[in-house]
Amino acid sequence: MAKSGRAKTTGPKTPPEKPRAATGSRAAILIALAGAVVVAAVLGVLLWPQPRTELVAETGSEPGLIARIESLYNDIYVYKRTNGQYVLSFGAERLRYTESVVNPDDELDLPVYYTQSMTVGLAYAPALENAAIIGLGGGRTAWYHHRSVPDLHFTAVELDPQVAQVADQFFGVKAEENFDLEILDGRVWLTKSDETYDLIMVDAYRGPFVPFHLLTTEFYEEVASHLKPGGIAIQNVEPSTMLFDSAVATIGAAFDNLDFYEGRGNIVIVAYDGPKRDPAELQRIAAERQAEYGFRYDLTQILERSYEPEFDADAEPLTDDFAPVEYLKAIDRHNQKQS
């Protein structure tokens, strides 16, 4: 970059006035270059791989705490219950939020009720060829789909490399044949990909909240653009601590239809375009696929969790209200953990 400074002048003390158009053009170029530098810097932070961090063993400091790790995005804790289950939680200081519960002796066990409900997409999907999830956590939902349908090419997208490290070291969730793991912001991953999927699941939380850039109409339009004809999106929603009415309006602004499934405290939303799915036809498909794959959680029974929650039909959808540079900076700021 050229250094700025005063130019030495000769001749008249008052230089001739420069054409305004030329000055405006030069200023526009400088502004554009500055904007490009900011965008490049922010993308560098988002896309630069984070180093693998050594897990810190914690014995005796808290009951059941076996590991703690501090990453750029989370304070991560792994506990072991007296019944042998692992609990993965995120938090800062006294605030802790359970992210996953894992049975280390059974890779198909889904102890958290809503994760069972998220398997309902296996009845809706037009085929079971490829699927993706944004938000890995302990990897239970992703791994269940991968192990239950061996020919399904599954991609899990996780922002925090240390979360993926914990899932690998403690829960056995790692990249292998037909299971890809992308360490990247979920929305950035979508914009960089030209793949389409039979189903895309979204289960990315910061404590009880979905990051703002993963809950806008534009984000769900991006999700819809990566679905095959007849493909579906599935969103886990925690209604008591987030804008449930606005979430329904936002997802509904990007898709023709929304179906709801009970998650015992959470609500699973299935979003899709085209005609409304016939319950009898869904049951038929579920029965066929249940017979073929022998799912641990019977698909025909999962479909029976369908219900209609109460929400404000006049709620306004959430949208992106940021200029591109401001938007990228906001993503980076919101992804980082808050002390």
Side-chain angles (χ1 to χ4, degrees):
M1 182 179 293
K3 295 182 179 179
S4 61
R6 294 184 179 179
K8 185 182 291 186
T9 61
T10 59
K13 292 183 178 180
T14 304
E17 185 176 346
K18 296 179 181 178
R20 293 194 179 189
T23 302
S25 298
R26 188 175 294 109
I29 292 172
L30 290 174
I31 291 172
L33 288 174
V37 170
V38 172
V39 171
V42 174
L43 283 175
V45 172
L46 289 174
L47 304 179
W48 191 264
Q50 299 296 317
R52 186 178 178 92
T53 304
E54 192 66 29
L55 293 180
V56 179
E58 295 283 340
T59 56
S61 57
E62 288 184 50
L65 181 63
I66 60 174
R68 173 181 58 82
I69 185 170
E70 295 184 13
S71 74
L72 177 63
Y73 307 104
N74 298 290
D75 291 336
I76 306 167
Y77 302 83
V78 181
Y79 297 87
K80 189 170 186 179
R81 292 174 171 172
T82 55
N83 64 1
Q85 291 180 339
Y86 287 110
V87 177
L88 173 68
S89 69
F90 297 164
E93 297 182 355
R94 290 189 296 272
L95 297 176
R96 301 282 177 85
Y97 302 100
T98 297
E99 296 292 325
S100 299
V101 179
V102 178
N103 179 355
D105 299 322
D106 186 349
E107 64 181 0
L108 295 181
D109 189 9
L110 299 175
V112 180
Y113 190 83
Y114 88 83
T115 61
Q116 301 170 19
S117 296
M118 289 193 76
T119 69
V120 73
L122 295 167
Y124 278 79
L128 299 181
E129 296 175 352
N130 63 344
I133 189 169
I134 295 175
L136 177 68
R140 288 305 85 192
T141 304
W143 205 247
Y144 178 90
H145 285 74
H146 167 55
R147 289 299 199 186
S148 297
V149 189
D151 292 335
L152 176 68
H153 193 133
F154 200 98
T155 301
V157 184
E158 171 57 48
L159 171 69
D160 193 336
Q162 272 69 60
V163 170
Q165 181 184 347
V166 168
D168 177 346
Q169 180 170 335
F170 287 95
F171 312 139
V173 176
K174 63 188 72 179
E176 63 179 31
E177 184 178 0
N178 279 341
F179 189 83
D180 295 333
L181 185 56
E182 297 281 349
I183 306 300
L184 201 60
D185 177 272
R187 184 158 176 176
V188 174
W189 170 75
L190 278 175
T191 60
K192 288 166 59 69
S193 172
D194 57 3
E195 291 288 331
T196 56
Y197 298 86
D198 296 306
L199 67 150
I200 296 176
M201 292 176 278
V202 184
D203 191 16
Y205 274 77
R206 161 119 341 145
F209 301 102
V210 175
F212 80 97
H213 63 292
L214 302 184
L215 193 59
T216 67
T217 299
E218 291 84 354
F219 167 70
Y220 278 100
E221 289 173 344
E222 190 71 41
V223 171
S225 73
H226 287 77
L227 293 174
K228 296 177 182 177
I232 61 162
I234 302 177
Q235 169 75 59
N236 168 40
V237 180
E238 211 293 335
S240 65
T241 54
M242 64 183 294
L243 303 176
F244 178 66
D245 296 341
S246 295
V248 173
T250 300
I251 302 171
F255 291 94
D256 295 337
N257 302 288
L258 302 181
D259 293 345
F260 301 89
Y261 288 84
E262 172 60 44
R264 286 186 184 168
N266 290 46
I267 295 174
V268 172
I269 300 177
V270 180
Y272 55 94
D273 289 327
K276 188 78 171 176
R277 301 294 176 89
D278 176 52
E281 178 64 9
L282 284 173
Q283 279 287 350
R284 184 191 66 79
I285 296 171
E288 288 183 356
R289 291 179 177 173
Q290 181 64 38
E292 180 176 0
Y293 296 104
F295 296 117
R296 170 73 171 273
Y297 298 93
D298 193 314
L299 267 185
T300 62
Q301 296 178 18
I302 296 295
L303 283 171
E304 293 174 2
R305 298 182 183 182
S306 175
Y307 84 118
E308 287 295 328
E310 294 183 1
F311 59 87
D312 182 1
D314 295 325
E316 292 293 326
L318 306 173
T319 61
D320 294 344
D321 290 320
F322 297 89
V325 172
E326 294 172 328
Y327 186 77
L328 288 170
K329 291 168 68 176
I331 289 178
D332 182 43
R333 184 171 61 253
H334 280 258
N335 278 340
Q336 294 188 35
K337 66 184 178 185
Q338 305 297 313
S339 58

